[in-house]
């Protein structure tokens, strides 16, 4: 779940294939997991925010798929560019909504083979009706639970697995555990990346727990966020990155410090220190009750 989008301006890229006569229509409708609402950007008629249960979940620029508005999407792009040379990628995206990031990968890395797993079949139909068929846009969109949809994929078949799945402001528990990450590791090719979006508030308990869990499975891991989130000033997104191979620290630092949305990187030894004492998330613990959810708008004490 991202922060509210802060549109960025850039020269327009080529308009992608539409996949048909799909046209977004502003409004809200019921889906299996709640509601979805499409809101047109008042400053840009090509920009559309997709809100799931009132939470901004994607910003789709129908004229320019290379335009990423959400900060964590910009960070994910920077991570992929730092870790993988230019060219096609094999990618699985866990969570769909408006599919802004798969559209970006298809536009910037032509020939990529991408699969998007979205648990809500109604939301999949809203996407197709509003933004066109996914095939011409450069990816396959499948209605399936992320964990169940990952299970049949072959070993060593993916360059990156990206998780951007939320139920409200929380990541589904079965997509956080060490057992699930072992399944992610199974489908990743050598040098492959696990990239997970999460939302956190001071003192970043979600990030610490997911990082501790990642270190149970992967040899190398890092977490990054806007500096104000690390300093305990506000609620915000964080991005977790993990791999069995060493992460390119200097390339990541350069990429994350020079973009529109700078981020601080905490990697390997520093990351282990950051998550020291945090409980590893496991399947047998995932149904334990946690603290009551808090709205992102709540003021932290």
């Amino acid at each position: 779940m991202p922060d509210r989008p802060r549109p960025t301006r850039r020269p327009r890229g080529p308009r992608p294939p539409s996949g048909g006569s799909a046209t977004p229509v502003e409004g809200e409708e019921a889906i299996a997991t709640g509601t979805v609402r499409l809101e047109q950007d008042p400053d840009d008629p090509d920009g559309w925010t997709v809100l799931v249960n009132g939470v901004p979940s994607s910003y789709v620029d129908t004229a320019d798929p290379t335009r990423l508005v959400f900060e964590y999407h910009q960070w994910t792009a920077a991570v992929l560019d730092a870790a993988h040379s230019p060219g096609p990628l094999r990618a699985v995206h866990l969570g769909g909504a408006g599919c802004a990031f798969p559209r970006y990968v298809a536009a910037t890395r032509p020939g990529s083979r991408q699969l998007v797993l979205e648990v809500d079949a109604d939301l999949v139909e809203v996407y197709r009706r509003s933004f066109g068929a996914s095939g011409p846009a450069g990816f396959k969109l499948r209605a399936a639970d992320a964990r169940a949809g990952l299970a049949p994929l072959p070993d060593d078949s993916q360059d990156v697995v990206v998780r951007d799945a939320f139920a409200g402001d929380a990541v589904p528990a079965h997509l956080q555990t060490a057992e699930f990450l072992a399944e992610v590791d199974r489908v990743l090719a050598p040098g492959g990346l696990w990239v997970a979006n999460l939302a956190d508030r001071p003192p970043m308990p979600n990030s610490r727990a997911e990082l501790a869990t990642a270190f149970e499975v992967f040899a190398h891991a890092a977490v990054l966020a806007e500096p104000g989130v690390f300093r305990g000033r506000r609620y915000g997104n964080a991005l977790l990155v993990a791999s069995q191979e060493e992460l390119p620290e200097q390339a990541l630092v350069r990429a994350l410090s020079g973009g529109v949305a700078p981020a601080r990187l905490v990697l390997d030894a520093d990351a282990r220190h950051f998550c020291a004492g945090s409980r590893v998330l496991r399947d047998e613990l995932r149904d334990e009750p946690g603290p009551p959810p808090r709205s992102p708008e709540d003021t932290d004490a």
Side-chain angles (χ1 to χ4, degrees):
M1 182 203 70
D3 297 328
R4 279 279 175 179
R6 287 178 271 185
T8 55
R9 298 296 173 196
R10 66 167 72 187
R12 291 291 186 190
R15 183 178 291 273
S18 65
S21 57
T23 303
V25 176
E26 197 162 39
E28 183 173 287
E29 62 182 277
I31 54 176
T33 55
T35 62
V36 60
R37 180 175 181 81
L38 302 185
E39 292 184 354
Q40 191 172 32
D41 188 337
D43 297 321
D44 186 344
D46 293 320
W48 292 84
T49 300
V50 181
L51 299 98
V52 178
N53 297 320
V55 176
S57 298
S58 288
Y59 183 100
V60 178
D61 188 321
T62 58
D64 184 3
T66 69
R67 179 183 174 215
L68 297 176
V69 167
F70 291 163
E71 290 181 348
Y72 78 89
H73 277 160
Q74 297 171 23
W75 298 338
T76 305
V79 167
L80 292 189
D81 288 345
H84 286 287
S85 57
L89 288 175
R90 300 167 296 172
V92 178
H93 305 264
L94 310 181
C99 298
F101 197 73
R103 292 165 63 96
Y104 169 85
V105 172
T108 58
R109 293 175 177 265
S112 293
R113 290 187 292 159
Q114 301 186 85
L115 172 64
V116 180
L117 300 172
E118 167 55 53
V119 70
D120 193 317
D122 294 340
L123 185 55
V124 169
E125 290 309 309
V126 170
Y127 174 87
R128 290 172 175 158
R129 185 178 71 239
S130 302
F131 301 112
S134 55
F139 55 91
K140 295 180 180 179
L141 177 57
R142 182 178 301 165
D145 171 78
R147 188 160 177 172
L150 205 64
L153 297 184
D155 295 0
D156 303 328
S157 61
Q158 306 299 319
D159 299 309
V160 60
V161 177
V162 179
R163 189 197 69 200
D164 189 11
F166 284 86
D169 69 347
V171 175
H174 69 299
L175 304 183
Q176 297 177 296
T177 67
E179 292 84 356
F180 171 66
L181 292 191
E183 184 69 1
V184 171
D185 183 42
R186 178 188 66 80
V187 305
L188 285 174
L193 289 179
W194 165 239
V195 182
N197 176 37
L198 57 140
D200 222 342
R201 54 176 47 84
M204 300 185 71
N206 299 331
S207 302
R208 296 174 196 271
E210 290 221 34
L211 194 56
T213 305
F215 277 123
E216 281 287 294
V217 177
F218 294 99
H220 302 276
V223 66
L224 58 104
E226 193 272 331
V229 174
F230 273 115
R231 295 186 189 117
R233 293 178 180 173
R234 68 178 184 89
Y235 173 96
N237 286 86
L239 203 67
L240 186 147
V241 184
S243 178
Q244 296 297 6
E245 296 189 8
E246 188 173 358
L247 296 167
E249 181 175 8
Q250 293 306 313
L252 286 169
V253 169
R254 286 194 300 270
L256 294 167
S257 62
V260 176
R264 175 188 167 196
L265 177 73
V266 177
L267 175 69
D268 282 347
D270 290 336
R272 289 184 183 274
H273 179 74
F274 179 74
C275 67
S278 294
R279 183 184 68 177
V280 173
L281 304 172
R282 300 192 183 279
D283 279 353
E284 66 268 22
L285 303 175
R286 71 187 190 197
D287 293 325
E288 288 188 357
R294 296 173 57 193
S295 166
E297 288 75 29
D298 288 348
T299 301
D300 291 297

